[in-house]
Amino acid sequence: MATLRDTAENYGSLTDAEAEWLALLTSDWQIIADLSFADLVLWRAVDDGFVAIAQCRPSTGPTVHQDDVVGTMAAAGRIAHLQKALDEGGIIASREPRWDDTYAVREDALPVIMEGRAIAVLTREVSQAVSRSSSRLELNYKGAADDLLHMITRGEFPVATSVTGPRRGAPRVGDGVLRLDAAGHVTYASPNALSCFHRLGVTGSLMNRSLPRVTSELVHDKGHIDETLAMVVMGRAAWRTDLEANGAALSLRAIPVTIHGDRTGAVLLCRDVSDLRRRERELITKDATIREIHHRVKNNLQTVAALLRLQSRRVQAPEAKEALAEAMRRVSTIALVHETLSGTLDELVNFDDLAARSMRMAAEIASPGVQVKIVREGDFGLIPAQYASSLALVITELVTNAVEHGFEGRDLGTITVTSHRENERLSVTIADDGVGLSAEPSGLGSSIVRTLVENELSGQITWRATGSGSAVELEVKVSEER
C-alpha cells in the first residue's frame, strides 16, 4: 500500500520535514472533515496544474466524491482558484459553486503552511445537494472547523504533540464536541457531549461553566487524578486523557486553537468509554488469573518433582531409581513451561529461552559425569502456548537420550541443536558426536516423543546415523490455528 509520501513523490520530491508535516495533517484531518460536513482534498502543484495526493470524506454528511480522486488532475477551471490560495496565503472561497454531475459543490481553498511557506493546497468541498438549516450545532461545528483551517494557513495545525487515531477509544466528532474559550469556559456543548457529562454525574447545562471546575467537582479521589487532566480540560495542550466518576468513564481530547501562538480557546472531543474500560479491566483480571493459575501449576509440579526425588532416594533397584529420575525430569520440564507462561500476558512463548533452559537442565540431570557442550544454531521463534509443553518435552527427551546413550563411557561430548522456522513450520535437528546409532530407539522416551510429535504437533520424526554420531530430525506445525 502506497504511503502519502510515495504518492506525492510521483510528482516531485519532498523533504523529510515536508513529508512528515503532510502525514501529520492527513492523520488528523478527519476531525476537520466531520466538523465541516465536507470532503477534504490535498493538492500538490505541478507544472501543468494541481494533482490530488490525498482525500478525506466526512462521516457526518454526504460525500462529494463517490470515486477516489487521488492521482487526478484539477480541472482547468479550478486551477486559478487553487493558485490564488497558494499565492495569497488565506482561505479563498469560491465565488460561484461548481456543478458536479447533477448537484452543485461549494469549495474553499487554502494553503498548507509549514515553517512560513506553502507546501500544498487544501480544498474543503461541500455538496449543495442537501439543504441544511443553520442549526446551532452546525454553526458551532463549522466555526470550530474554520478555527482549525485558519491554523493550517498559519502553520499552527497539525500539532506535533497531538494524539491521533482510535487508540483505546479516542473520541471523534460524532461522539461529542465542546468549544472552550481561553479560560476553559464552555461556549458550546453538542447534545452527545452533554449526554457524556451527564453520565459522569453533571447536572444541568454546561454553557458558560468552567470545565476545569466541573471536572474537579466530579473527581473525589484527588490523589489519583491524571496529571494531564487539568491541561486537557483547560484546552492548554493537544493531549488525551480519561476522566472517571460515578462508574462512568470519558475519553477526552483537546485541540488548542491558537492565533500566532496565542491560545484563544480549544476544541474538546469526548467519548463515553465506560464499556470499553470495563472490558479492559475484565481482561486484565482474567490475564492476572491465568498467570496465577500457571504459577500455581508450576508450584504443584515442582512439588511433585520433589516428591519423586525423595522417593527415588528410598528405592534400591536401579531400574526403579532411573524410572523415577526420568519422571522427575519430565515433570520439571512441564513446570519450566508453566513458569515461563506465568511471567507473560502473551499467548506466544519465546521458545529460544525456554529451550536453552530445558536442554541445559536435561544435560545436567541425564549424566552428571559427562561434560556436555550444547551448540545452538538458528531460532525457534515464538511458539503458541498450547504447543510449548509438548515441544519442550520432545526437545528434552531427545537431548537426554543423546547424553545417556551417545556418550556412554565418555567424559566429553557435543550436541548441536539446529532449528529453522518458516511461518508455521518448524524443523529441528539434534545431532551428537557420540557412538552412533545402530537401530531406531524403541524405549519409553522415544515412544513419548513419537506420540507427541505425531498427535500433538502434527509432525514427523526420523532417526539416522551420521559419520560421527547420530541425528534426530523432526518437523512440526506450530501455527496458532489448526
Side-chain angles (χ1 to χ4, degrees):
M1 178 177 172
T3 64
L4 172 62
R5 181 168 189 168
D6 295 334
T7 303
E9 289 192 334
N10 289 330
Y11 310 97
S13 61
L14 285 174
T15 66
D16 291 341
E18 291 171 343
E20 183 178 357
W21 190 260
L22 294 179
L24 280 172
L25 173 63
T26 55
S27 69
D28 215 15
W29 66 349
Q30 184 68 54
I31 293 172
I32 301 175
D34 290 343
L35 288 170
S36 300
F37 308 96
D39 288 69
L40 302 180
V41 181
L42 189 63
W43 302 88
R44 191 170 187 206
V46 293
D47 292 338
D48 50 351
F50 289 83
V51 62
I53 58 174
Q55 73 178 104
C56 179
R57 295 182 174 91
S59 60
T60 52
T63 181
V64 169
H65 302 288
Q66 299 299 324
D67 299 320
D68 286 348
V69 299
V70 175
T72 62
M73 299 296 296
R78 303 175 64 189
I79 293 178
H81 185 220
L82 298 176
Q83 188 64 48
K84 185 177 181 181
L86 196 63
D87 295 338
E88 296 188 5
I91 299 178
I92 307 299
S94 56
R95 294 177 177 235
E96 297 291 338
R98 75 171 192 271
W99 285 89
D100 195 343
D101 294 332
T102 59
Y103 55 87
V105 176
R106 187 169 294 278
E107 176 180 282
D108 298 330
L110 60 140
V112 177
I113 302 297
M114 185 199 76
E115 297 177 352
R117 57 191 177 85
I119 61 173
V121 175
L122 181 69
T123 56
R124 175 174 60 176
E125 304 176 27
V126 184
S127 171
Q128 303 293 294
V130 179
S131 177
R132 288 184 176 275
S133 61
S134 297
S135 65
R136 189 180 176 201
L137 180 145
E138 182 178 1
L139 290 174
N140 276 280
Y141 274 25
K142 289 185 175 179
D146 287 342
D147 289 340
L148 299 180
L149 289 174
H150 281 293
M151 289 175 63
I152 292 176
T153 67
R154 295 189 294 268
E156 297 177 318
F157 187 91
V159 183
T161 59
S162 182
V163 179
T164 63
R167 183 175 64 90
R168 296 187 72 242
R172 301 181 66 175
V173 169
D175 299 319
V177 176
L178 297 96
R179 298 182 72 185
L180 309 178
D181 63 15
H185 290 84
V186 178
T187 60
Y188 173 74
S190 70
N192 285 347
L194 193 58
S195 297
C196 286
F197 277 88
H198 283 171
R199 293 188 188 98
L200 288 178
V202 176
T203 58
S205 173
L206 284 173
M207 284 296 297
N208 301 318
R209 296 173 66 178
S210 169
L211 192 62
R213 182 174 298 173
V214 169
T215 54
S216 178
E217 292 171 353
L218 291 172
V219 180
H220 301 295
D221 188 358
K222 309 297 182 183
H224 290 81
I225 297 179
D226 188 337
E227 61 183 9
T228 62
L229 179 60
M231 301 294 287
V232 170
V233 296
M234 277 289 292
R236 290 183 177 274
W239 292 339
R240 266 199 57 221
T241 190
D242 281 359
L243 172 62
E244 297 191 24
N246 298 317
L250 292 190
S251 177
L252 303 174
R253 179 190 174 188
I255 306 172
V257 175
T258 59
I259 298 178
H260 301 298
D262 295 327
R263 187 172 56 85
T264 61
V267 177
L268 194 71
L269 305 182
C270 61
R271 177 185 175 186
D272 183 359
V273 291
S274 303
D275 289 341
L276 180 62
R277 296 295 178 266
R278 177 180 54 79
R279 288 195 294 269
E280 287 179 348
R281 284 191 288 268
E282 288 175 353
L283 287 174
I284 291 173
T285 301
K286 186 178 295 184
D287 288 337
T289 301
I290 292 173
R291 285 198 295 177
E292 179 62 22
I293 290 173
H294 283 305
H295 181 71
R296 293 187 181 186
V297 170
K298 182 262 298 184
N299 288 343
N300 291 338
L301 289 171
Q302 288 179 335
T303 300
V304 172
L307 292 174
L308 291 173
R309 188 180 300 108
L310 290 174
Q311 185 67 35
S312 66
R313 292 173 182 173
R314 291 179 174 271
V315 298
Q316 300 299 322
E319 291 184 356
K321 189 180 288 290
E322 182 180 350
L324 288 172
E326 290 179 356
M328 180 189 67
R329 185 191 67 246
R330 290 164 186 148
V331 170
S332 298
T333 299
I334 301 174
L336 190 61
V337 174
H338 282 280
E339 181 181 4
T340 302
L341 293 174
S342 68
T344 178
L345 294 176
D346 297 330
E347 289 299 317
L348 298 175
V349 178
N350 185 345
F351 199 80
D352 290 281
D353 293 339
L354 181 61
R357 294 170 64 189
S358 62
M359 288 187 292
R360 186 168 57 251
M361 178 185 68
E364 291 173 354
I365 295 177
S367 185
V370 180
Q371 294 184 10
V372 178
K373 179 182 179 182
I374 298 179
V375 179
R376 288 283 315 283
E377 296 179 357
D379 298 316
F380 288 94
L382 297 176
I383 303 294
Q386 62 265 37
Y387 308 125
S389 294
S390 299
L391 186 59
L393 273 175
V394 169
I395 300 297
T396 303
E397 288 292 336
L398 293 176
V399 170
T400 301
N401 184 71
V403 174
E404 289 182 341
H405 304 291
F407 305 132
E408 188 173 357
R410 294 176 51 179
D411 296 329
L412 300 173
T414 301
I415 296 176
T416 303
V417 180
T418 305
S419 52
H420 175 69
R421 180 74 177 271
E422 186 173 348
N423 298 325
E424 62 184 24
R425 303 302 302 183
L426 173 65
S427 301
V428 182
T429 300
I430 300 176
D432 64 72
D433 60 352
V435 297
L437 186 69
S438 58
E440 184 174 308
S442 58
L444 176 60
S446 59
S447 298
I448 292 174
V449 167
R450 195 176 289 106
T451 300
L452 290 175
V453 169
E454 294 176 355
N455 297 339
E456 298 295 327
L457 300 172
S458 300
Q460 55 187 11
I461 183 169
T462 56
W463 282 266
R464 62 181 176 84
T466 63
S468 58
S470 60
V472 186
E473 298 174 348
L474 64 138
E475 185 173 333
V476 298
K477 185 176 180 181
V478 288
S479 63
E480 294 189 59
E481 295 183 359
R482 287 288 175 88

